[in-house]
Amino acid sequence: MTQTLKTKVLIIGAGTGGYVAGIRCGQLGLDTVLVDGGDGLGGTCLNVGCIPSKAIIHAAGKFETVAKAAGGGNLGITAAKPAIDLKQTVEWKDGIVRKLNAGVTALLKKAKVKVIKGWAAFEDAKTCVVKTDDGDIRITAEHVILATGSEPVELPFLPFGGDVISSTEALSLSDVPKKLVVVGGGYIGLELGIAFRKLGAEVAIVEMAERILPLYDKALTDPVAKWLETHGVELHLGARAGGFGNGRLNVTTRDGEPLQLDADKVLVTVGRRPRTQGWGLENMGVAMAGPFVKIDNRCATSMKNVWAVGDLTGEPMLAHKGSAQGEVVAEIIAHSSGKGGHDRVFDPVAIAAVCFTEPEIVSAGLGPNDVAGRDDVIQSVFPFAAIGRALAIEAGEDGGFVRVIASKSDHRILGVQAVGQHVSELSNSFAQMLEMGAVLEDVAGTIHVHPTLGEAFHEASLRALGHAIHI
């Protein structure tokens, strides 16, 4: 027997876009149902993406620190040779995920959002049937928010299974592979490849482009490439992966020569695609923009009162973008329903992106490739090697820097980038200055705390004005 349920707002997907939309809808007094049949509350990011990967990256960094101390000492500190029980590390990581899951559950409950665990299949734009462990539920809604997220791209000649794994399986391995080959030199592959190298694996990376992280400019990626070289990571650039069998991955080099790489595990990280299959999107009558659902600046689709947020809507496929979109849609629905809220648009000046590589990379706004050939901009770089805090935490000798790009005419900041240890923590400052329309004088006139890494942002802005102090 099929149950029936009517609601004001129906949200499909409980990732960072969907659950944030749900909480805000609930706070605004909207009757809200959240359906999730995927990774669990928090979606990919919380369960098998952002959070668990950073936990493993953190553990790998700790292991590397002890290994350095055991290899002759560092900072006057010596230690015995470390060992890693990856199963215990994964259990610790899973504990963090469970804690955050419980937090999201509590927040949704507090907001009076009804959560249904199961897979939804839409019959039309406002009606879906959810298959749950307790039977089917037919749900109709006035407003539908699509937040189905994304999934790893699978290569037809390297299907996932066995020793060919995606990032999801990589975060739950019980042992550190002796030999790991990563197919794809983007941020996911590099983050995990570097972590496993720190944990003692022999790592090789196969990338079709002529350099790693091809979406970032070379100056930003050079310090990462240097780390890979220094730490014995094998790089095959301009190369194509082939099939895998008998513990060997077939590769075609940039010169067209065949090559076989030994591998205990092959980690395929060639990108992510929007999750558009298996839940009846084709029955909803919404327009598409290539593989993505087409939306306007209010996150509205072509179907009245059907909204879409997060990875489903296109690049950048970042968790914080989805969360921001989810809030916007909740506000719009509440406003149109006389429940408060605001008639908003999603029009950020910049969405900062971070690579948690070694060292880390941050980019917000326009980069040098975006302004190439223009003579109406200023570019200023300040190295971490001249920042006291960086040197004091061993973060100043890897070629890291902060770069500011601004308009020559009015000094409006157009973009900020950084590469270096811990620079992810500067990303919000970069985005804030861009969102507020800051000029170089705003950053130069802000007294930055000493000693901190953020002083490099201050000094880069001073340098753009022609009077840096410490260089």
Side-chain angles (χ1 to χ4, degrees), residues 2-357:
T2 301
Q3 301 179 54
T4 59
L5 183 64
K6 292 186 177 181
T7 185
K8 183 74 172 182
V9 182
L10 169 63
I11 304 170
I12 305 299
T16 49
Y19 90 73
V20 168
I23 290 170
R24 191 67 188 119
C25 282
Q27 290 173 341
L28 290 164
L30 299 168
D31 183 27
T32 305
V33 173
L34 174 63
V35 176
D36 183 63
D39 300 306
L41 296 181
T44 295
C45 179
L46 193 157
N47 292 278
V48 294
C50 318
I51 301 301
S53 67
K54 302 315 164 283
I56 296 297
I57 288 168
H58 173 74
K62 293 288 188 183
F63 183 85
E64 182 191 36
T65 297
V66 180
K68 281 182 178 178
N74 193 32
L75 310 180
I77 302 169
T78 56
K81 184 178 179 181
I84 180 78
D85 184 338
L86 191 60
K87 188 175 180 181
Q88 285 190 30
T89 306
V90 168
E91 287 174 358
W92 165 75
K93 176 266 294 182
D94 289 343
I96 295 170
V97 170
R98 285 192 298 270
K99 188 173 185 178
L100 291 170
N101 279 144
V104 173
T105 300
L107 290 168
L108 288 165
K109 184 178 180 180
K110 182 181 178 182
K112 297 182 171 57
V113 176
K114 181 177 180 60
V115 177
I116 297 175
K117 181 71 174 175
W119 290 99
F122 278 86
E123 298 174 340
D124 58 46
K126 306 291 173 56
T127 307
C128 73
V129 175
V130 182
K131 293 189 176 298
T132 76
D133 292 340
D134 299 320
D136 293 354
I137 305 174
R138 174 173 274 103
I139 305 173
T140 58
E142 290 183 43
H143 293 265
V144 173
I145 303 174
L146 303 176
T148 55
S150 62
E151 58 195 2
V153 172
E154 186 177 46
L155 295 172
F157 50 86
L158 278 176
F160 294 130
D163 292 328
V164 178
I165 60 176
S166 72
S167 56
T168 298
E169 293 77 38
L171 294 169
S172 294
L173 292 174
S174 56
D175 296 291
V176 177
K178 183 180 179 183
K179 293 180 181 291
L180 174 69
V181 176
V182 180
V183 178
Y187 75 96
I188 298 174
L190 283 177
E191 286 181 6
L192 294 177
I194 288 170
F196 278 104
R197 180 69 191 110
K198 289 181 178 181
L199 291 171
E202 294 178 32
V203 176
I205 296 171
V206 179
E207 167 58 44
M208 285 178 59
E210 290 299 323
R211 60 184 184 84
I212 58 170
L213 298 168
L215 295 180
Y216 293 88
D217 66 88
K218 189 173 181 297
L220 283 179
T221 62
D222 276 350
V224 179
K226 180 182 176 183
W227 189 96
L228 295 174
E229 181 182 359
T230 302
H231 291 79
V233 175
E234 200 176 316
L235 272 181
H236 298 277
L237 301 175
R240 292 176 180 268
F244 174 72
N246 299 318
R248 309 195 87 182
L249 177 71
N250 292 308
V251 175
T252 303
T253 69
R254 62 155 62 95
D255 299 322
E257 297 296 323
L259 177 69
Q260 288 193 322
L261 298 176
D262 292 333
D264 299 310
K265 299 289 181 185
V266 176
L267 171 58
V268 179
T269 58
V270 293
R272 296 183 65 86
R273 63 186 173 202
R275 191 175 281 128
T276 56
Q277 302 297 315
W279 50 272
L281 175 64
E282 63 277 6
N283 299 325
M284 299 185 73
V286 300
M288 302 296 289
F292 302 104
V293 171
K294 186 177 182 179
I295 59 171
D296 63 14
N297 64 356
R298 300 168 77 243
C299 301
T301 71
S302 59
M303 179 63 68
K304 182 176 173 60
N305 291 342
V306 175
W307 316 81
V309 302
D311 289 359
L312 189 64
T313 66
E315 297 289 353
M317 295 167 74
L318 298 170
H320 41 289
K321 182 198 77 171
S323 295
Q325 289 177 319
E327 286 190 70
V328 165
V329 172
E331 293 273 351
I332 292 171
I333 294 173
H335 182 74
S336 68
S337 306
K339 292 278 191 177
H342 299 86
D343 191 12
R344 294 176 57 186
V345 296
F346 181 71
D347 186 25
V349 173
I351 302 174
V354 176
C355 293
F356 290 87
T357 45

